[in-house]
Each structure stands twice: as structure tokens, then as C-alpha cells.
């Protein structure tokens, strides 16, 4: 089959690789109809997250079940499904509590050996272990392009908003208006935030944030602290969602939250570290929460309801639909922010 292969820092290409096959009785093979490039794939592209050259990449996909192992109960060949980007067992202590991102057997699609050695989803076929847990049936009324986002970014935005406990009337700042930030804005809007401030420096992304109901703040033109203070009676935002995954964005989040406010960090970190001003954060009585990897399995049915009700909709961010063979071009477009979201069609 054809699949996107990581070739080294800054380089991906489409190659022929062996087809995945059923390895365990709880596996399924899914024929991918659409996959996407995620901000997390860029961390691999940049070498921030480790991936060996020659590994296949990608973890956002929707498709049709091609084959199932003998222990699969919920799916049959021909079923339309979304794939969870995090692959979990569904039965350990953490999974049973809905904390599937902390699973004893946690693995990630398309993350190489450190992700558990599973193949990538930017491919014609993908192997999904524990498929009864890691696939979601797509209702007939939902098209592939919308359904795709339930397996990662849309559900991640919904989860980040939900664990932040946004209450009606609160002012929420979202740092980073990429796909994850866009869904954070839609989700906090749906949860009753009175005002959402979207901080980014890319005009296209800020325009999309406005379409989702955010007020755009261009941090290349305005100091984030001043801009948020001006809109919150000098207090700062009640809740801040950090949807970038960089020390500077984390610093911005801490800079724009009010005393006694909440910060939820949904952007991804790997080896970074920072000095923590314990006294400053303690005195400001901050509530800082690391979202970690989104436990999509515990949240995707609730996110599906938002999608079906039209309160969340991914289509405005899809700027490019490319054949899988043009994946390298898709990565270049997304990495340089000339694309807001790239779909790859095998
Ligand atoms: N927790 C999870 O499970 C999960 C799931 C998906 C993605 N992520 C992570 O979320 C982050 C965002 O993903 P994405 O797909 O939206 O990525 P993206 O790279 O497309 O978007 C990031 C956005 O942040 C903006 N930005 C960069 N630095 C900034 C700063 N200092 N201040 C304000 N804006 C800044 C960029 O212009 C860009 O628009 C990534 O770190 C990704 O790995 C986490
Ligand atoms: Zn992702
Ligand atoms: Zn588990």
C-alpha cells in the first residue's frame, strides 16, 4: 500500500510499504477514506518528538472496516468508522475510569517505536488494535470530512473546554488559533463563555477564530497581556486554554490569566522544561491543569452530539484536500501556515 513515511527532520514522502495485517484477535484493519495532518505531526517533522526515518506517520483518519479479528464484537467489514489517535486497551484500571490517555498499554498511531510501533494513518490501510475500543461508528447522516475530526482535534478541543469547567458569563482566552484552538473556541462558546479572545499571529487563523465566535488578538501587533487586560477591566481572562505547545505560548497563558483563574494546557510537550515561580503562582492562586493527551474514547460520543447539533463544525478550517501522493506538499503548506487544515485522500 501507499503511506506517508518520515524521512528525517523536515522531510516526508509517500512510499510503498507492506500492507498491515491482523496480528491480534482484537485487531481491525481499516481502509482509510480520508486522513489529515495534525499539529502533532509537525512536532515529529521538526524533530521535537522522536521518530525514526522510515517510520509511517499520521493519526487522524476515517474509513471503512476492511477486516476484523475473531474477538471483535462491535464492528464488521463495511462499517464506517473513525479511528482514535490514541490506541488503548479499554480494560485496565485507568481505561475503566475514562482516563484512557493514561492506559497501561498506551500507544499512538503513527508515532514510531516510542508510540508502540503502530503504523501511521496517512496511508491506504491502518491496523487498529483493540478495535472495539479504538473505533467509533459513524452515523449515516455524518459525512467523512466532519467525522474525521472526532478521532483527535475536535474532541480534543471539546475535552479541553469541558475539563476547564467554563461557566456562563466567563471570559476565555485561547492561545493559538490552529485547528485545536479553533475547536476550543467552538466548544467554550457552546459551553456558555460570554466572550472568547483568540490569540495568534496568523491572519488566516485569526479570521477563522472570528468565524468560530472569538475576538481576534494579533500577538504580533499587540502585547497579549495589554490586549487581554483592555478587554477584561484590567483583570485578565477567567480561563485560558493554551493550544500551541511551546514555552512562549505557555508564558503567554500565564500572563493573560486573572488572579484566581484557570489555565488548561492542551498543546503538546515532550522534553521541554521551565523554571516554576512557585511564589508568584501560589500568590495569584492559579489553577494550572495539564490536559495531557486527549482521552478521546471518553469524550468522542459527547463531541459527536455537538457535531450533529451543529454547535461544532470543522469544515471552515479545511483549506486543502490533496491526494495522498501529494502529502509532502500538504506538510509544507500546513507547516508554513499557508494551510489551516490539510486532508489527504488515498
Ligand atoms: N492534547 C492533545 O491530545 C492534543 C491533540 C491534538 C493536538 N495537540 C497539540 O495542540 C497544539 C496545537 O495543534 P494544532 O493542530 O492546532 O497546531 P498548529 O501548529 O496548526 O497551530 C498552532 C497555532 O499556534 C500559533 N502560535 C504559535 N506560537 C504562538 C504564540 N506564542 N502565541 C499565540 N499563538 C501562537 C500558530 O500561529 C498556529 O496558528 C500542538 O501542540 C499539538 O501537538 C494536542
Ligand atoms: Zn493529533
Ligand atoms: Zn487501558
Amino acid at each position: 500500500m501507499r503511506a506517508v513515511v518520515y524521512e528525517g527532520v523536515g522531510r516526508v514522502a509517500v512510499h510503498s510499504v507492506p500492507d498491515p495485517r491482523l496480528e491480534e484477535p482484537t485487531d481491525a484493519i481499516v481502509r482509510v477514506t480520508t486522513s489529515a495532518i495534525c499539529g502533532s505531526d509537525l512536532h515529529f517533522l521538526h524533530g521535537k518528538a522522536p521518530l525514526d526515518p522510515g517510520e509511517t506517520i499520521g493519526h487522524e483518519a476515517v474509513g471503512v472496516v476492511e477486516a476484523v479479528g475473531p474477538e471483535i464484537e462491535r464492528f464488521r467489514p463495511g462499517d464506517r468508522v473513525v479511528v482514535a489517535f490514541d490506541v488503548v486497551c479499554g480494560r485496565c484500571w485507568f481505561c475503566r475510569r475514562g482516563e484512557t490517555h493514561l492506559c497501561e498499554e498506551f500507544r499512538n498511531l503513527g508515532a514510531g517505536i516510542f508510540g508502540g510501533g503502530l503504523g501511521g494513518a496517512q496511508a491506504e490501510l491502518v491496523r487498529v488494535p483493540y478495535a472495539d475500543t479504538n473505533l467509533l461508528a459513524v452515523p449515516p447522516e455524518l459525512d467523512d470530512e466532519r467525522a474525521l475530526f472526532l478521532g483527535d482535534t475536535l474532541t480534543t478541543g471539546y475535552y479541553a473546554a469541558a475539563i476547564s469547567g467554563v461557566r456562563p458569563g466567563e471570559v476565555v482566552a485561547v492561545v493559538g488559533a490552529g485547528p485545536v484552538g479553533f475547536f476550543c473556541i467552538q466548544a467554550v462558546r457552546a459551553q456558555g463563555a460570554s466572550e472568547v479572545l483568540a490569540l495568534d499571529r496568523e491572519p488566516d487563523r485569526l479570521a477563522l477564530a472570528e468565524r468560530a465566535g472569538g475576538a481576534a488578538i494579533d500577538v504580533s501587533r499587540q502585547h497579549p497581556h495589554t490586549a487581554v487586560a483592555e478587554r477584561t477591566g484590567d483583570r485578565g481572562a477567567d480561563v485560558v486554554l493554551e493550544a500551541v505547545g511551546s514555552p512562549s505560548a505557555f508564558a503567554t497563558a500565564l500572563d493573560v490569566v486573572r488572579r484566581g483563574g484557570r489555565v488548561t494546557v492542551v498543546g503538546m510537550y515532550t522534553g521541554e522544561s521551565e523554571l516554576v515561580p512557585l511564589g508568584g503562582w501560589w500568590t495569584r492562586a492559579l489553577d494550572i491543569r495539564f490536559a495531557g493527551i486527549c482521552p478521546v474514547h471518553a469524550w468522542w460520543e459527547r463531541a459527536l452530539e455537538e457535531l450533529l447539533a451543529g454547535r461544532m463544525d470543522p469544515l471552515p478550517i479545511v483549506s486543502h484536500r490533496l491526494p495522498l501522493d501529494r502529502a509532502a506538499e500538504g506538510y509544507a503548506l500546513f507547516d508554513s501556515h499557508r494551510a489551516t487544515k490539510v486532508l489527504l485522500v488515498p
Side-chain angles (χ1 to χ4, degrees):
M1 67 162 182
R2 312 280 289 158
V4 181
V5 172
Y6 173 76
E7 293 194 319
V9 174
R11 294 197 332 269
V12 293
V14 174
H15 289 299
S16 286
V17 301
D19 285 1
R21 48 183 187 78
L22 297 171
E23 294 178 22
E24 300 287 339
T26 48
D27 283 355
I29 303 294
V30 173
R31 181 163 293 279
V32 175
T33 48
T34 304
S35 65
I37 305 174
C38 176
S40 301
D41 294 321
L42 299 180
H43 297 316
F44 292 113
L45 188 76
H46 300 152
K48 165 176 158 174
L51 195 60
D52 287 329
E55 302 268 21
T56 56
I57 189 169
H59 55 266
E60 286 188 284
V62 61
V64 176
V65 174
E66 177 96 349
V68 295
E71 289 179 23
I72 291 300
E73 293 175 354
R74 300 179 53 215
F75 298 98
R76 290 287 161 265
D79 290 349
R80 290 176 66 226
V81 289
V82 184
V83 175
F85 78 104
D86 37 2
V87 170
V88 305
C89 78
R91 54 196 184 192
C92 72
W93 188 85
F94 288 98
C95 281
R96 290 199 311 272
R97 289 166 58 87
E99 297 177 0
T100 59
H101 53 328
L102 307 174
C103 173
E104 301 285 2
E105 291 185 52
F106 185 85
R107 287 176 284 180
N108 253 162
L109 290 175
I113 201 74
F114 293 104
L118 300 175
Q122 290 158 6
E124 289 176 299
L125 297 166
V126 62
R127 171 184 161 236
V128 181
Y130 298 119
D132 276 338
T133 298
N134 295 302
L135 295 178
L136 178 71
V138 178
E141 65 270 32
L142 189 63
D143 54 83
D144 277 5
E145 288 196 355
R146 286 189 173 84
L148 164 81
F149 290 87
L150 288 168
D152 183 359
T153 41
L154 185 143
T155 301
T156 297
Y158 182 82
Y159 161 69
I163 64 171
S164 304
V166 176
R167 291 186 283 271
E170 288 191 312
V171 177
V172 180
V174 176
V175 182
V180 173
F182 176 86
F183 293 126
C184 286
I185 296 167
Q186 285 191 337
V188 294
R189 269 279 182 223
Q191 288 169 28
S194 71
E195 195 174 0
V196 186
L197 308 174
L199 284 66
D200 204 300
R201 50 190 172 217
E202 296 288 343
D204 291 355
R205 286 159 185 244
L206 287 169
L208 284 169
E210 285 183 329
R211 278 185 70 179
I217 294 177
D218 183 342
V219 296
S220 68
R221 292 165 179 269
Q222 270 188 295
H223 193 282
H225 180 87
T226 315
V228 174
E230 274 172 6
R231 290 166 171 83
T232 54
D234 278 341
R235 272 193 312 278
D238 299 300
V239 175
V240 182
L241 307 184
E242 193 267 78
V244 180
S246 80
S248 80
F250 180 71
T252 298
L254 272 293
D255 200 25
V256 303
V257 68
R258 69 163 168 85
R259 296 193 297 282
R262 284 112 66 205
V263 174
T264 298
V265 181
V266 67
M268 171 179 152
Y269 290 88
T270 51
E272 304 86 342
S273 57
E274 286 286 298
L275 285 176
V276 172
L278 289 170
W281 291 0
W282 184 85
T283 306
R284 292 173 70 201
L286 296 181
D287 183 348
I288 303 173
R289 174 149 185 184
F290 291 91
I293 288 169
C294 174
V296 285
H297 321 79
W299 294 90
W300 56 4
E301 282 165 4
R302 281 174 272 193
L304 172 62
E305 281 173 29
E306 299 297 304
L307 202 49
L308 292 174
R311 287 186 293 268
M312 295 185 74
D313 181 15
L315 289 199
I317 65 170
V318 178
S319 57
H320 293 74
R321 296 165 175 87
L322 300 178
L324 183 69
D325 281 336
R326 286 170 62 191
E329 185 186 334
Y331 270 81
L333 287 165
F334 189 55
D335 190 27
S336 60
H337 296 158
R338 282 172 291 152
T340 49
K341 189 77 182 179
V342 179
L343 303 186
L344 299 174
V345 183

